[in-house]
């Protein structure tokens, strides 16, 4: 069966510090991968998605970046965090084909607080 | 731009009643519409998908309708239980292999015993 792991679960970072969130998927090949952010009281905002290794599409211009160094690994990074980067970050995957529903499978999330 | 609207206020109902949540969309012609459940501090979980050529879809106590003329989907939970309390998100999507998921803000449902 497929599983998705996301870490760390919680982190508190000072403004201006770097960030690295990691997500890995097991049990499937060539998944589509996504990073979402959910700010307090807000909806899910798509940040990045990837359809293959090294292929990253950015939905929102910001100080965040994403990388996909391996087929089932997706990393969200920042060189210098801003207060507005605080939020709940969710990694998700979906099948590229063969799915009747096109559903997304989400990780457990990473709660980031920037102070 | 595409816009998805869900009731921002929490829906409070008594156990046993039917909960009805609304999802409206504009500037969009989705071929499918998905519904997800999100519990506090957790990632969303897929519940149901309905296609544009389907009027209604059922799964156990869940029922979803899709009116492409009104640009609206209704999500019903019959015989609601306190365990159904959560935030419910709708996510319209287009057809084809390139799927860029867009979510509404979600509606919080609170079922009182």
């Amino acid at each position: 069966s497929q599983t998705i792991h996301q870490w760390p679960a919680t982190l508190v970072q000072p403004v201006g510090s770097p960030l690295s969130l990691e997500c890995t998927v097991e049990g499937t090949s060539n998944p589509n991968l996504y990073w979402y952010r959910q700010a307090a009281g807000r909806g899910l905002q798509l940040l990045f998605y990837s359809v293959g290794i090294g292929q990253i599409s950015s939905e929102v211009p910001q100080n965040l970046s994403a990388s996909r160094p391996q087929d089932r690994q997706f990393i969200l990074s920042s060189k210098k965090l801003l207060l507005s980067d605080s939020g709940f970050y969710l990694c998700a995957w979906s099948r590229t084909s063969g799915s009747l529903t096109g559903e997304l499978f989400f990780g457990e999330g990473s709660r980031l607080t920037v102070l | 731009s595409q816009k998805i609207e869900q009731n921002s206020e929490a829906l409070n109902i008594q156990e046993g009643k039917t909960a009805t949540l609304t999802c409206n969309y504009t500037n969009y012609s989705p071929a499918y519409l998905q519904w997800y459940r999100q519990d506090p501090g957790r990632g969303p979980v897929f519940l149901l998908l309905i296609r544009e050529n389907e009027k209604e879809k059922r799964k156990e106590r869940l029922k979803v309708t899709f009116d492409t003329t009104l640009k609206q989907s209704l999500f019903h939970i019959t015989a609601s239980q306190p365990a159904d309390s959560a935030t419910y998100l709708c996510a319209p999507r287009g057809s084809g292999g390139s799927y860029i998921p867009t979510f509404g803000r979600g509606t919080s449902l609170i079922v009182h015993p």
Side-chain angles (χ1 to χ4, degrees):
Chain A
S1 63
Q2 299 87 14
T3 57
I4 178 169
H5 303 282
Q6 185 181 340
W7 69 94
T10 306
L11 66 166
V12 180
Q13 295 285 105
V15 170
S17 64
L19 170 73
S20 181
L21 301 179
E22 190 163 342
C23 172
T24 60
V25 180
E26 296 177 357
T28 189
S29 297
N30 195 30
N32 291 333
L33 295 172
Y34 311 85
W35 277 111
Y36 284 88
R37 177 172 60 201
Q38 191 171 37
R42 304 287 298 276
L44 284 171
Q45 179 187 31
L46 179 65
L47 301 176
F48 301 94
Y49 70 95
S50 172
V51 299
I53 296 174
Q55 300 178 60
I56 309 293
S57 296
S58 174
E59 290 294 300
V60 182
Q62 58 214 324
N63 68 320
L64 300 173
S65 62
S67 62
R68 184 171 178 173
Q70 300 181 45
D71 181 45
R72 292 169 290 172
Q73 183 184 27
F74 207 22
I75 298 171
L76 182 69
S77 304
S78 174
K79 292 182 179 178
K80 290 185 178 181
L81 285 169
L82 306 172
L83 286 174
S84 57
D85 291 325
S86 294
F88 190 48
Y89 288 80
L90 287 159
C91 180
W93 72 275
S94 67
R95 294 181 176 88
T96 52
S97 64
S99 169
L100 296 178
T101 62
E103 66 192 277
L104 297 184
F105 301 90
F106 285 87
E108 288 300 308
S110 298
R111 176 81 55 193
L112 169 65
T113 302
V114 182
L115 301 176
Chain B
S1 61
Q2 298 170 358
K3 193 174 181 181
I4 304 166
E5 293 181 348
Q6 293 187 255
N7 294 344
S8 57
E9 294 184 7
L11 176 63
N12 287 271
I13 64 170
Q14 286 298 124
E15 182 176 9
K17 301 293 186 181
T18 296
T20 299
L21 308 176
T22 305
C23 175
N24 295 298
Y25 56 90
T26 55
N27 298 324
Y28 203 165
S29 297
Y32 312 87
L33 196 144
Q34 300 175 339
W35 282 89
Y36 291 76
R37 168 182 173 145
Q38 186 176 21
D39 290 287
R42 307 290 295 273
V45 175
F46 172 81
L47 296 175
L48 276 174
L49 172 138
I50 187 166
R51 295 174 173 79
E52 61 180 341
N53 61 350
E54 297 176 315
K55 295 288 186 186
E56 181 179 297
K57 197 75 168 284
R58 291 176 183 264
K59 179 182 177 182
E60 298 174 352
R61 294 185 295 110
L62 308 180
K63 185 179 82 172
V64 173
T65 62
F66 194 8
D67 190 325
T68 55
T69 301
L70 293 177
K71 294 186 180 295
Q72 180 182 80
S73 176
L74 299 179
F75 178 82
H76 307 271
I77 304 177
T78 58
S80 59
Q81 305 165 0
D84 295 327
S85 298
T87 296
Y88 292 87
L89 310 170
C90 73
R93 59 162 284 194
S95 60
S98 178
Y99 169 31
I100 309 301
T102 305
F103 286 81
R105 287 190 178 188
T107 298
S108 175
L109 171 66
I110 302 170
V111 181
H112 300 276

